[in-house]
Amino acid sequence: MEEARGLHMGVILMISISLVFLYTGWQLGVVWNIMQERWPEYHDHCRKPFPEIAKRSMGPKAKKFTSLLVNVTLFGICVVYLLLSANIAHYFVDNFVPEPFRISYCWTIVVLAVLLAPFTYLKSPADFWPVIVLAMVTTTLAVVAIVSGVLRDAPVCHSAAHFPAVETNKVIISIGTFLFAFSGHYVFPTIQHDMREPKKFSWSVSLGFLMVVLLYMPLSTISFWVYGSSMKSSVIYSVQTYWLQCFANFMIAVHCILTLVIVVNPVNQELEHFFKVAHHFGKGRFALRTAVLTAVVFVGLTVPDFLPVMGVVGSSTIPLGCVVLPSLFYLWINAAEEYEWQKNKIPSVMDVIRRTKKTTLALNLFLLLVAVGGGTIATYINLTDLKDTNFKPPCYMSVFTGDNNVTFGGGDAGGADTASHRTAAASSATSARSSRRAVARTTRTEDDDVTKDDEISPLR
């Protein structure tokens, strides 16, 4: 019974969020097409399309708020992706690099950022569209590898799986992670603007969400059915086949690195617009984008276990940027009559209510209420949950403490040993060096000693 309740609730959440985000993504595409029809200047290169949408639909104040929200959110997402990439990269460093050449997790963050920097200097998504395609390919390969590993474990693991009772607060906390997984609206206008045929963006976003659901749904449902409560924050470390675990880890690392290049681009372009940096590559672009990446690295080194706040970001800024703002922009820009938008006059709330089709108005108001109400509750619970998180000290504190083994972790509602599984790559290094056939899973004992064997039982 509990197995069915948890599974059904997860499936309902995933489908509901994907449908809502698909609808609001479609709205953003429609709004950008309207802007290009009304204001032809948007056919030329636009460095900050999302804030421009806010300006044309709801005025200058909305533009300032949207600009701040976009930059803060995308910056935070960049930090998360950098830390996750570095965590996985450090796993391979510890497992396969000879001991004299190994570096700490903190130095892995820095090295990875240096290697990543040249790709962030590319102008816009039109200049690095292969990166977007490759990011999707790596995700698909990772999902195939994980599902294959889970199915291989199913005969033994499912029979021993335990399914705990569904807890309301944990369901609400998980909403932030669901929202984070489906977010992308902040970069949608940037991508649409660079398309050869922007009017076909609605088809693109529909296909994109369909593919994401087809990847996420089988992976999450099968993994839950096979492992139950033994599955930790990363399903990769529940897979018992070592080479599949390594392959999936590598693909996810590549995906995170490529996604960081995509996500940081709108931030770079808006700052270049603010500082009036030339559109062509030069000293200005090099200096500014280097400074942005340096800031991302500094925050990552300051909070090396940034993942615990992912739920807070997902439940706060993601609903605003992916549901609330797209709906408001869509309602306001469609309500503006010709004489208003020609004079940059913004319709009033009553104008929007009178001029909008009742079914469209009701649907968007319902989404706004759910997004604001649900986001507020989820944010509060996630913030409350942070008090149980054991944050690691900043990386640069190792200069004073002599600790060069700061690991990537954080807490969630799942329990005290979640951090060890978020850092399973680092903590399993000792056994993996002695045998590459070892199964890279870690188990934290009551006195926090980590024990490993070349062959372990599928479930603890």
Side-chain angles (χ1 to χ4, degrees):
M1 180 63 70
E2 291 300 335
E3 174 184 359
R5 285 185 61 195
L7 186 61
H8 293 162
M9 192 170 295
V11 170
I12 291 172
L13 274 175
M14 185 176 295
I15 293 177
S16 300
I17 292 173
S18 63
L19 288 175
V20 171
F21 277 32
L22 168 60
Y23 176 64
T24 55
W26 171 82
Q27 287 181 313
L28 275 179
V30 171
V31 171
W32 184 253
N33 289 332
I34 292 174
M35 285 178 57
Q36 288 191 319
E37 292 174 359
R38 294 179 180 178
W39 299 280
E41 61 265 30
Y42 290 115
H43 285 283
D44 298 328
H45 183 66
C46 178
R47 281 174 160 171
K48 47 178 185 175
F50 204 104
E52 285 298 313
I53 289 175
K55 173 186 174 182
R56 293 296 186 179
S57 58
M58 300 189 73
K61 292 183 179 179
K63 178 183 177 181
K64 292 180 180 179
F65 173 79
T66 302
S67 179
L68 178 63
L69 180 69
V70 168
N71 289 316
V72 170
T73 303
L74 291 182
F75 186 87
I77 292 174
C78 287
V79 175
V80 171
Y81 279 126
L82 177 63
L83 293 177
L84 184 56
S85 303
N87 178 48
I88 300 173
H90 189 245
Y91 163 76
F92 288 103
V93 169
D94 261 2
N95 277 275
F96 302 109
V97 174
E99 190 168 358
F101 302 100
R102 290 185 195 130
I103 57 176
S104 68
Y105 166 68
C106 294
W107 276 109
T108 303
I109 297 174
V110 176
V111 172
L112 192 62
V114 171
L115 296 175
L116 184 67
F119 299 97
T120 65
Y121 299 141
L122 296 172
K123 182 178 179 181
S124 69
D127 300 296
F128 53 79
W129 63 266
V131 169
I132 301 174
V133 176
L134 186 57
M136 188 65 188
V137 171
T138 55
T139 302
T140 304
L141 292 175
V143 169
V144 170
I146 297 170
V147 171
S148 300
V150 173
L151 291 176
R152 292 184 65 173
D153 296 340
V156 176
C157 292
H158 176 64
S159 60
H162 170 65
F163 301 94
V166 177
E167 298 179 29
T168 303
N169 66 320
K170 291 185 179 181
V171 172
I172 295 176
I173 289 173
S174 70
I175 291 176
T177 305
F178 272 107
L179 296 175
F180 196 96
F182 282 96
S183 64
H185 295 58
Y186 290 105
V187 297
F188 282 175
T190 303
I191 295 174
Q192 182 182 9
H193 177 63
D194 286 345
M195 291 175 62
R196 292 180 181 178
E197 299 181 60
K199 290 186 178 182
K200 293 185 177 181
F201 179 76
S202 297
W203 291 98
S204 299
V205 74
S206 300
L207 180 61
F209 273 102
L210 175 62
M211 294 179 67
V212 169
V213 171
L214 291 177
L215 288 174
Y216 284 174
M217 190 68 73
L219 174 61
S220 57
T221 54
I222 294 173
S223 299
F224 177 76
W225 178 77
V226 171
Y227 299 122
S229 61
S230 72
M231 184 173 63
K232 296 303 177 179
S233 57
S234 175
V235 67
I236 294 176
Y237 298 116
S238 292
V239 173
Q240 302 298 294
T241 307
Y242 183 56
W243 72 268
L244 285 174
Q245 188 184 110
C246 288
F247 179 78
N249 249 336
F250 180 75
M251 288 296 104
I252 292 297
V254 174
H255 168 79
C256 291
I257 293 170
L258 297 176
T259 304
L260 196 156
V261 174
I262 300 169
V263 172
V264 77
N265 188 263
V267 179
N268 288 331
Q269 291 201 62
E270 181 158 354
L271 289 174
E272 286 171 350
H273 177 83
F274 179 80
F275 289 105
K276 296 180 172 56
V277 176
H279 283 262
H280 61 272
F281 181 79
K283 294 180 180 178
R285 183 191 297 181
F286 176 81
L288 189 143
R289 298 196 178 194
T290 300
V292 171
L293 188 58
T294 301
V296 172
V297 173
F298 177 76
V299 174
L301 295 176
T302 302
V303 192
D305 49 356
F306 193 80
L307 266 184
V309 302
M310 185 175 68
V312 177
V313 175
S315 57
S316 57
T317 63
I318 298 299
L320 279 176
C322 298
V323 179
V324 176
L325 292 183
S327 292
L328 293 177
F329 297 160
Y330 180 81
L331 293 174
W332 253 258
I333 203 165
N334 278 287
E337 296 184 348
E338 185 173 357
Y339 77 92
E340 290 176 321
W341 61 258
Q342 283 183 343
K343 297 180 180 180
N344 293 322
K345 183 179 178 181
I346 308 301
S348 66
V349 175
M350 294 307 300
D351 290 333
V352 173
I353 295 175
R354 286 196 305 267
R355 298 170 186 173
T356 304
K357 190 177 179 180
K358 299 308 177 187
T359 53
T360 302
L361 184 64
L363 175 60
N364 282 273
L365 286 177
F366 172 75
L367 294 180
L368 291 172
L369 289 174
V370 171
V372 174
T376 301
I377 295 172
T379 301
Y380 173 77
I381 293 179
N382 274 284
L383 286 172
T384 304
D385 188 62
L386 283 180
K387 71 179 186 297
D388 298 323
T389 300
N390 295 318
F391 285 98
K392 301 295 186 296
C395 283
Y396 41 78
M397 289 299 293
S398 62
V399 176
F400 307 100
T401 63
D403 179 13
N404 293 316
N405 296 310
V406 178
T407 55
F408 182 58
D412 63 21
D417 68 338
T418 302
S420 71
H421 282 80
R422 284 179 176 163
T423 60
S427 61
S428 65
T430 304
S431 65
R433 287 195 293 270
S434 62
S435 172
R436 289 192 178 183
R437 294 181 180 178
V439 180
R441 290 189 65 195
T442 62
T443 304
R444 176 169 292 182
T445 60
E446 293 182 355
D447 56 356
D448 285 332
D449 290 330
V450 179
T451 61
K452 297 166 284 293
D453 297 292
D454 284 354
E455 296 181 1
I456 61 175
S457 59
L459 291 174
R460 291 193 301 280

